[in-house]
Amino acid sequence: MAQLLLEIVTPDKLVLSQDVEYVGAPGLLGEFGVMANHIPFLSALGIGSLMYKSGGKAHYVFVSGGFAEVSGNKVTILAEVAERPEDIDVERARKAQERAKQRLEREKEQVDFARAQAALQRAFFRMKVRESAGTVASLAH
Ligand code: ATP
């Protein structure tokens, strides 16, 4: 199957550089999918789970904010935050989810609603990406 080069970069590191068959990413205006020979394309990224397929297998990376660029069979993800499943601390995400939920239950005037909702979304997708990879033991193999 025709391949694409996927590069995921954050301000402090190169998270991934790999030949893949497919990339599905959370654009700000909705999910988009890219296969080889896609037309050039640019999109802002929202908060969610980026999926790529390599060797017929699906892999997931948590992303939050930034841009995706598709050009010449290369997908560049310039993300504000990008975490592979093994980098995600589930307990931290669970606590962040609790905090965000509590904030959202309070009186609206006392809370930055959009900020709490974004925190809730980040926590939800971190847990989802982590769960998609199975147990910590299976990540090591
Ligand atoms: P928290 O309230 O726990 O800090 P957050 O969603 O506000 O969560 P971000 O602003 O998205 O955090 O990220 C700040 C930094 O902390 C980033 O470098 C990010 O990779 C890291 N980070 C946040 N939550 C986790 C997590 N659950 N596991 C691993 N790294 C995390």
Side-chain angles (χ1 to χ4, degrees):
M1 196 174 187
Q3 301 269 302
L4 283 161
L5 174 63
L6 170 63
E7 277 198 354
I8 305 179
V9 189
T10 65
D12 46 82
K13 66 175 176 177
L14 174 66
V15 177
L16 186 95
S17 178
Q18 195 175 317
D19 284 329
V20 302
E21 291 121 32
Y22 175 84
V23 181
L28 207 52
L29 302 175
E31 294 277 329
F32 61 87
V34 181
M35 293 172 83
N37 304 317
H38 197 285
I39 53 161
F41 173 74
L42 186 69
S43 172
L45 290 171
I47 296 167
S49 162
L50 177 144
M51 190 271 268
Y52 64 92
K53 270 194 183 164
S54 78
K57 213 172 154 235
H59 302 267
Y60 300 87
V61 176
F62 168 78
V63 292
S64 170
F67 290 91
E69 186 190 26
V70 181
S71 174
N73 280 341
K74 183 175 177 188
V75 181
T76 308
I77 304 289
L78 296 166
E80 283 168 26
V81 176
E83 292 153 12
R84 301 171 72 144
E86 58 268 38
D87 300 325
I88 294 172
D89 178 342
V90 184
E91 191 49 27
R92 179 172 167 177
R94 204 189 52 73
K95 285 181 182 159
Q97 183 184 44
E98 260 327 292
R99 278 197 307 277
K101 275 187 180 166
Q102 283 170 10
R103 285 194 181 108
L104 291 169
E105 279 162 12
R106 277 188 229 145
E107 291 289 318
K108 274 193 184 152
E109 310 83 66
Q110 294 169 24
V111 173
D112 182 340
F113 204 73
R115 186 174 162 188
Q117 261 188 332
L120 188 62
Q121 239 187 316
R122 289 196 296 275
F124 172 83
F125 280 107
R126 280 187 169 111
M127 290 192 282
K128 197 167 169 228
V129 164
R130 189 61 190 76
E131 276 164 20
S132 70
T135 62
V136 174
S138 73
L139 286 173
H141 297 103

